[in-house]
Amino acid sequence: MREKLVRLGYLLGLALVLSGILYFFASNWQGFDRYTKIALSVGLMLLFYGSAFAVRKLLPQQAFLSHWTLLAGALSFGLSIALLSQIYNTHAESYWLFLIWLVPVILFSFFTKYQPFYVLSFVLFQFTMAFFISPTGAVSQRGEQETLLLYAAMAFVNLLIFWIIKKKHLSSPVIMYAAFCLFHYIFLTVSLPDFTGSSSLRIGLIIFYLLFLLSSFFYFSKVEPQRSFLGISIVAFALFVIEQFFSFIFKHYAEWSLFLALGFVILFIGASVWFVKWLTANTSAQKTSLRVIKRIAVIGITAIASVIGSSSLGGLITLITGTYPTNGMLVIGVLLIVACYLIKADIPTVKYTLLMMGVLISGGASFFVNDILFFIYVIALVALLVFTKHTPVRLLLFVLVQGLLLIKVPTTYYDTIKIDYVLLALFLLNAAVYAINVHHAFKKAALLLAFIFLLSLTELSEPSFLNIIYCTVFFVISTVFLFVTVRKEPKYDFIVGMIFWFVFLAMKYYDFVWDLFNKSLVLVILGLIFLFLSRKWDLSTPDQPQPSFLDRSRTAVWIIILVQLIILGGIFTKNEVLLQNGKEIKLALQPIDPRSLLQGDYVELNYAIAHVTLPHVKDGEKVKLVLRPNKQGVYEYAKIYQADDDWNKPYTSKKKDVVITGTYHEWGIQYGIEHYFIPEGTGSKVESEARFATVRVGKNGDAIVTKVGK
């Protein structure tokens, strides 16, 4: 037990120190010059890598520490690439950034066989594909067919990864579940109405996905019963049916379509009763697993039928009456809930569908009725929660009542009851439920809700003394909770606490870190205290070293680190040579203001020279344009270009001419200088004031933007 506490202390201490360092960089970044930024970003990476080998030598009995610091080095390599791109204003949100990052991480995975490297490789691959298919800040030049094929390819790669791991060719349960979920997510996205038109390819992909879902039900319930994958498939099927329903309704909103939808619900529930009986008779699962599988099936069926049924019924009543009768809808919802309890027969799909339809209809209407009626409704739900015997129903009502109060009370009585008070009250309620002896499902739900409400409190107040109190309370409670639950089984409580602890650190990065230097100092001090205490309590001796992949793969790891340094050096050299030797020109532009995932705020620069039509040039072809200054000194397109090594007209270079390289598309020309990084929160100012960009262009036509202004 002591070993678990020591390991947790090391983990939290290391995370706090790293967070403090990153916060320090963030709050002081704009004050550093270019070379200092480069030295800090690369130095941070080397610090982590060096620490991995130093920790391995100093604390061989704690191999996990050297593994974590090596992983931190791999993460900092990606951040170094992002920061170099920010410094030189290149590759914001580019798939190249993630691809370059991915290569050494895959090599680390191959040589170390360390699970976190597998997971990081998987995540980076997904980002690489996502930004390749749909780059942000740029108009897509791909056609509908090509986009669909790329999304399908990404989905099938995830399915292949899932199958490889499931067949034990590779061991990584986290990636297996993630790949299976991503496969479904991509196809559900492609199936959305008007995603990329209604081509035969898209229709074919939707039909394939529907057949795949049906096959999954059969395979994971009968051939190889696995309730987790069956559950994911049923949830995906429910979402698929619901999105197709709303697509149909939006296109054909009329009484006949709503009657048709209600008829579908009745037939669907009837078919589901047969399906549950078939599942009971034909599956080869054990009795316990069969019960869980049936429960999952009932949940999926209920979700589909209740959403479609409540939407159709509400829409039909609105069409017939010409208005949305809130009091009447509340009564109808309550009657459906009562009907659920009046049915004596054990038909769970019917009973739960009536219950969910009643909850959806009455819950939605309750926000619009008068306050007295609302609180009577809430009291009735609480009474139902107390007296009903079905745990899933009680859990649903437990969450529903809190959701209704959280939304209704602060919005109705905002003059006297702040949302802080409601969140605090709900946190205390759930903490009390978690502390007492209740059903384990209630304890899990209460724990999750308590953390959500407490974390929400840290985001409500502006930078103030009250905000600091909320943040301190959350940090103390979550940290103590981790040390209390690390020794308990099962690990659900500890995992939930760990997730929220790290989410809190990540959220504070985008809080008021830019103006609060002391935050980074506090985090570093806390981290050092954690590390010191963990080392003091660590009773393990260096004479009993734990095995580490650093011992068997030391040479390979050093070679990979050297490759990363070469990559960073190449990026630095290429851009620095261009920056020092390129010819400075001034270009007209119109900016917009998006945000980069890794690198902070930037403006996307929309150059006047980008909107040029070049006859007989293919989409995606490299071109060179001749630019010349006008009377105001702003460089413009001189009507001369080169494509496929041929000039469109005879060209003799003039003294002030500049030749710039770009990629031609039907929507415009991309020069690779479309992004300019700016201090946090200054985008609107830059957007309103910037009219020109200062750019340096090299002899080979490459360019770097150095300044944006009036």
Side-chain angles (χ1 to χ4, degrees), residues 282-592:
N282 291 277
T283 186
S284 58
Q286 296 179 353
K287 188 175 181 179
T288 304
S289 297
L290 175 61
R291 186 167 59 251
V292 176
I293 290 173
K294 286 172 61 179
R295 187 175 299 168
I296 293 170
V298 169
I299 291 172
I301 293 165
T302 302
I304 296 171
S306 58
V307 171
I308 295 177
S310 58
S311 302
S312 303
L313 186 59
L316 194 59
I317 292 174
T318 302
L319 274 179
I320 294 174
T321 61
T323 184
Y324 186 79
T326 53
N327 291 345
M329 295 303 293
L330 182 67
V331 172
I332 291 172
V334 171
L335 290 176
L336 288 172
I337 295 173
V338 172
C340 163
Y341 287 92
L342 293 178
I343 297 176
K344 301 299 182 182
D346 187 20
I347 312 175
T349 52
V350 176
K351 296 180 70 172
Y352 288 137
T353 297
L354 289 173
L355 175 66
M356 282 302 301
M357 284 181 62
V359 166
L360 290 173
I361 292 174
S362 60
S366 67
F367 292 113
F368 306 101
V369 299
N370 64 65
D371 296 349
I372 295 176
L373 201 55
F374 171 81
F375 285 109
I376 291 174
Y377 172 69
V378 169
I379 293 171
L381 291 180
V382 173
L384 191 61
L385 187 158
V386 172
F387 293 108
T388 191
K389 296 180 180 180
H390 299 286
T391 300
V393 176
R394 297 181 67 197
L395 199 58
L396 169 68
L397 296 172
F398 179 69
V399 175
L400 176 64
V401 168
Q402 294 186 70
L404 291 173
L405 291 173
L406 179 61
I407 297 173
K408 178 75 173 181
V409 173
T411 54
T412 305
Y413 306 101
Y414 58 88
D415 289 332
T416 54
I417 303 178
K418 295 182 179 180
I419 192 171
D420 303 50
Y421 305 154
V422 180
L423 285 172
L424 189 58
L426 292 177
F427 161 71
L428 294 173
L429 169 67
N430 284 279
V433 171
Y434 176 77
I436 63 178
N437 186 22
V438 293
H439 192 277
H440 64 88
F442 271 90
K443 291 181 78 73
K444 289 181 177 180
L447 175 64
L448 197 62
L449 290 171
F451 269 115
I452 290 173
F453 294 139
L454 187 57
L455 184 63
S456 300
L457 279 170
T458 68
E459 288 292 298
L460 285 181
S461 301
E462 295 295 327
S464 63
F465 181 70
L466 185 60
N467 181 270
I468 293 174
I469 290 177
Y470 286 146
C471 291
T472 304
V473 168
F474 182 93
F475 179 79
V476 171
I477 289 177
S478 60
T479 303
V480 171
F481 182 80
L482 288 177
F483 280 100
V484 171
T485 57
V486 69
R487 297 170 291 179
K488 293 184 177 180
E489 296 291 343
K491 291 293 186 183
Y492 174 84
D493 294 6
F494 176 75
I495 292 172
V496 169
M498 185 66 76
I499 289 172
F500 277 95
W501 194 88
F502 277 101
V503 167
F504 170 75
L505 279 187
M507 288 172 62
K508 293 305 106 181
Y509 177 81
Y510 281 112
D511 194 352
F512 47 98
V513 59
W514 307 108
D515 302 317
L516 191 63
F517 166 77
N518 290 334
K519 180 187 289 187
S520 60
L521 184 61
V522 169
L523 289 175
V524 170
I525 292 173
L526 283 173
L528 292 175
I529 292 173
F530 272 74
L531 292 174
F532 172 77
L533 293 176
S534 299
R535 183 72 186 96
K536 188 176 179 63
W537 294 334
D538 189 354
L539 300 180
S540 55
T541 62
D543 298 331
Q544 300 174 338
Q546 294 178 339
S548 170
F549 56 71
L550 282 176
D551 298 331
R552 70 174 186 272
S553 305
R554 183 179 298 267
T555 303
V557 169
W558 276 117
I559 291 174
I560 297 170
I561 294 172
L562 180 61
V563 170
Q564 292 176 328
L565 286 173
I566 292 172
I567 291 172
L568 294 175
I571 295 173
F572 165 74
T573 303
K574 175 181 177 295
N575 288 287
E576 195 64 26
V577 168
L578 177 55
L579 197 60
Q580 296 295 332
N581 301 322
K583 185 173 180 179
E584 188 173 272
I585 65 174
K586 188 177 182 181
L587 297 173
L589 56 79
Q590 293 177 342
I592 58 175

Side-chain angles (χ1 to χ4, degrees), residues 204-217 237 240:
L205 289 173
I206 292 175
I207 293 173
F208 163 81
Y209 182 56
L210 182 58
L211 293 175
F212 178 87
L213 286 170
L214 297 175
S215 302
S216 296
F217 300 155
F237 180 72
F240 176 79

Side-chain angles (χ1 to χ4, degrees), residues 19 49 234 267 286 368 405 450 464 506 671:
S19 298
Y49 282 137
I234 288 178
L267 292 175
Q286 296 179 353
F368 306 101
L405 291 173
S464 63
Y671 297 99

